[in-house]
Amino acid sequence: METIIQAVELMFSWPVLVALLIGSIGGVVIGAIPGVGPAVAIAILLPATFSMEPLVGLTLLLGIYGSSMYGGSLPAILINTPGTAVNALTTYDGYPMTRRGEALRALGLAYGASFFGAVLSILILILLSPVLAKVAPMFGSREIFLAALLGIILVIIAHKGQMAAAGMLAGLGILLQSVGMEPVNYTMRYTFGLDWLTSGLDLIVVVLGLFALSQAFQLIVEPDSAPDAQPVSGSMFRAMCEIWKYRRTAATGGGFGVLMGIIPGVGEFTAQFLSYTAARKRSKTPEMFGRGSPEGLVASESANNAVPAAAMIPLLALGIPGEALTAMMLSVFYVHNVVPGPGLFQNQMDFVYALYLSLLLLNVIVILWMVVSSNLLIRIIRIPTRFLGMAILVLSFVGVYSLRNSAMDCMIAAGFGVFGLILKRLNLPTVPIILGMVLGGIMEVKLRASMGRIDSLLDFVNRPIAALLVLTIIVIVGQSLRTSIRDLHARHEESNKPHQNKA
């Protein structure tokens, strides 16, 4: 009880509340503007959060992360353009409802489902805290190494159809984090005698380049546009209350969101797909899915908004981020010497509960804001894309330069920005690079720490959790190889059919 009281005191300090208000409302605005997205905003804001208290900085970033998907549903429903990438599935049923004259109903269902899924996820996270506090200390160096290795494997497997590219890009990320002075023996790695590589490649510089600058370059080089959407009228609160009619679909979507959020490398897209598929199978009108089905809209929005809170579980319990946004947040922990992992639950449980409370409060703030501000956000959607691109470009370079007052960092970020733009044009993922850098660093540190107590490879599996992780890795890799071989045979047989027909 004393821990909860301390968490409430931390949570209701003025700096935290202001950060929460700015992050939640700002996240909605950023999510509502097509072409920006939370990754760009968090990348730009990261340097500024380093001068804040850990809880203040994380609350600001969590506000943007958790609320951006609320805002992203607005253009997805009204103009068939998702505000964030994870709102793409919302367009399938949201926009057809708008064309039928049900824009208010579609927005109300989307907001209600988002709130339902997010709150369900946070409540599960709070209930799991005592379990995490007991399980987390069981993870030693080798267990965390194996968990990070499992995270990298899951990231690669999650990019179905692009696994080879995702694997190479994750390997590139691991290589990038190894550049610079090695911290144990102080030897230089991949510096080629260049002084500016001695301190390595800063994660924030790479993040700003790959996410913010690449997006800015893309917005600038593409034709200028200013999307148009018509205002909606009526009671948004009454429209949101209809979510109770689809509570079973929302609960299923929230459950998938929690499960997929906990597993590193999976995230919102898989949660949405599973939720949408399950809703369609159970629906009495499956033929309406993709043509304006309220159930499809609820399934999509409840699943993607349940992921952010669940993604905090591996981050807080093991220090292992599940995707790019939580990887960025990890850097805020490290800057302030707050090390996520088993020690966090043993020594700073008040900090953990304060984060949970901030997640809960931000959803309340967001839903109240969405009820009164939808028509105001419609005006924001109309900002020209090239103006957005220039604004992101300027803010990104200011953020990079403020890190170390280094023009070289700006040049490195620009180089990664061009590389990120090339990856976008080739439809290749950038997330594996960031997770490769973060998880690669964790793997190196934990492997070195565990080597002193290991005489053979069998020592890696002489503890229950380590053995379970190794078995999980073997099963996942084996299943993935089996699926890939089966798909290859299917494609081969399909390509041979025309020849057989001709014969």
Side-chain angles (χ1 to χ4, degrees):
M1 189 66 187
E2 184 181 347
T3 304
I4 295 175
I5 293 171
Q6 291 173 345
V8 171
E9 289 176 355
L10 277 173
M11 175 65 223
F12 285 95
S13 64
W14 280 110
V16 174
L17 290 175
V18 170
L20 188 61
L21 189 65
I22 293 171
S24 54
I25 294 176
V28 170
V29 173
I30 288 160
I33 303 172
V36 182
V40 175
I42 289 174
I44 291 171
L45 285 172
L46 265 180
T49 60
F50 293 163
S51 61
M52 303 175 185
E53 290 295 317
L55 185 60
V56 177
L58 284 168
T59 299
L60 178 64
L61 300 183
L62 276 173
I64 292 169
Y65 181 22
S67 62
S68 61
M69 285 174 269
Y70 281 90
S73 63
L74 185 75
I77 290 168
L78 296 182
I79 61 174
N80 202 29
T81 303
T84 72
V86 297
N87 294 110
L89 201 57
T90 307
T91 62
Y92 287 19
D93 295 290
Y95 186 63
M97 289 180 72
T98 297
R99 296 189 67 180
R100 288 202 308 258
E102 298 179 341
L104 178 68
R105 184 188 180 203
L107 289 173
L109 284 172
Y111 299 162
S114 298
F115 184 75
F116 191 104
V119 170
L120 176 67
S121 178
I122 295 162
L123 292 177
I124 292 173
L125 182 61
I126 293 171
L127 290 173
L128 281 176
S129 290
V131 179
L132 291 173
K134 291 179 181 178
V135 172
M138 298 179 186
F139 279 74
S141 297
R142 72 193 80 170
E143 285 84 5
I144 293 177
F145 165 77
L146 290 168
L149 177 60
L150 175 61
I152 290 238
I153 291 169
L154 288 170
V155 168
I156 295 168
I157 291 173
H159 291 86
K160 193 172 181 181
Q162 295 182 313
M163 282 195 286
M168 287 188 285
L169 291 169
L172 174 63
I174 295 171
L175 175 66
L176 292 174
Q177 72 82 30
S178 67
V179 172
M181 184 182 288
E182 180 265 323
V184 176
N185 298 317
Y186 302 107
T187 54
M188 296 295 180
R189 300 187 299 194
Y190 309 115
T191 59
F192 306 105
L194 301 172
D195 293 338
W196 54 273
L197 282 176
T198 303
S199 57
L201 294 169
D202 192 285
L203 174 66
I204 309 307
V205 174
V206 178
V207 164
L208 277 161
L210 286 176
F211 287 95
L213 287 175
S214 67
Q215 188 64 31
F217 293 154
Q218 183 164 325
L219 290 171
I220 290 167
V221 300
E222 288 181 348
D224 200 12
S225 64
D228 190 23
Q230 298 303 314
V232 293
S233 59
S235 173
M236 184 65 70
F237 181 75
R238 187 175 300 170
M240 284 169 49
C241 290
E242 194 185 351
I243 188 63
W244 189 248
K245 182 180 175 182
Y246 303 103
R247 59 188 179 277
R248 186 180 171 188
T249 302
T252 304
F256 278 120
V258 171
L259 185 61
M260 295 302 107
I262 292 172
I263 302 172
V266 180
E268 293 92 348
F269 292 105
T270 308
Q272 282 180 306
F273 175 77
L274 293 173
S275 174
Y276 196 83
T277 304
R280 183 165 50 191
K281 285 181 179 177
R282 283 204 315 264
S283 176
K284 294 178 181 178
T285 56
E287 70 281 357
M288 287 297 295
F289 278 65
R291 300 178 181 177
S293 168
E295 291 173 284
L297 182 60
V298 169
S300 170
E301 285 296 306
S302 59
N304 64 28
N305 278 269
V307 171
M312 298 301 291
I313 292 175
L315 180 70
L316 295 174
L318 303 175
I320 295 174
E323 37 74 63
L325 299 181
T326 47
M328 296 182 206
M329 292 180 200
L330 188 61
S331 63
V332 181
F333 280 99
Y334 287 155
V335 163
H336 294 284
N337 293 319
V338 178
V339 181
L344 192 65
F345 282 85
Q346 291 177 312
N347 307 320
Q348 293 180 276
M349 202 62 193
D350 56 339
F351 180 85
V352 174
Y353 276 123
L355 275 179
Y356 295 167
L357 289 172
S358 68
L359 279 168
L360 195 59
L361 188 55
L362 86 84
N363 280 280
V364 175
I365 293 171
V366 169
I367 205 67
L368 293 174
W369 171 247
M370 297 303 289
V371 167
V372 300
S373 68
S374 289
N375 284 326
L376 174 63
L377 292 170
I378 287 170
R379 294 186 189 140
I380 295 172
I381 291 174
R382 298 170 183 164
I383 296 174
T385 53
R386 283 187 176 169
F387 175 83
L388 278 176
M390 286 305 301
I392 293 169
L393 191 71
V394 172
L395 291 171
S396 299
F397 278 125
V398 169
V400 171
Y401 189 77
S402 68
L403 285 171
R404 297 185 290 196
N405 295 333
S406 169
M408 182 56 69
D409 281 349
C410 293
M411 294 171 67
I412 294 170
F416 277 105
V418 173
F419 182 53
L421 180 62
I422 293 169
L423 292 178
K424 285 177 188 288
R425 292 296 176 89
L426 296 174
N427 197 29
L428 294 174
T430 54
V431 172
I433 300 175
I434 302 302
L435 289 179
M437 288 187 72
V438 174
L439 295 177
I442 293 170
M443 287 167 61
E444 181 181 3
V445 170
K446 297 303 178 182
L447 180 62
R448 286 191 169 194
S450 62
M451 288 304 289
R453 296 183 292 276
I454 291 173
D455 296 321
S456 69
L457 285 175
L458 290 177
D459 289 339
F460 260 103
V461 293
N462 63 0
R463 296 198 294 200
I465 294 178
L468 180 62
L469 287 168
V470 169
L471 182 62
T472 304
I473 289 170
I474 292 170
V475 169
I476 288 173
V477 171
Q479 182 63 33
S480 177
L481 287 173
R482 181 185 170 191
T483 304
S484 298
I485 291 169
R486 189 175 60 201
D487 291 345
L488 187 64
H489 281 307
R491 284 198 299 269
H492 184 67
E493 289 174 7
E494 190 70 28
S495 65
N496 285 336
K497 279 183 181 180
H499 298 290
Q500 292 171 0
N501 292 335
K502 285 179 183 178

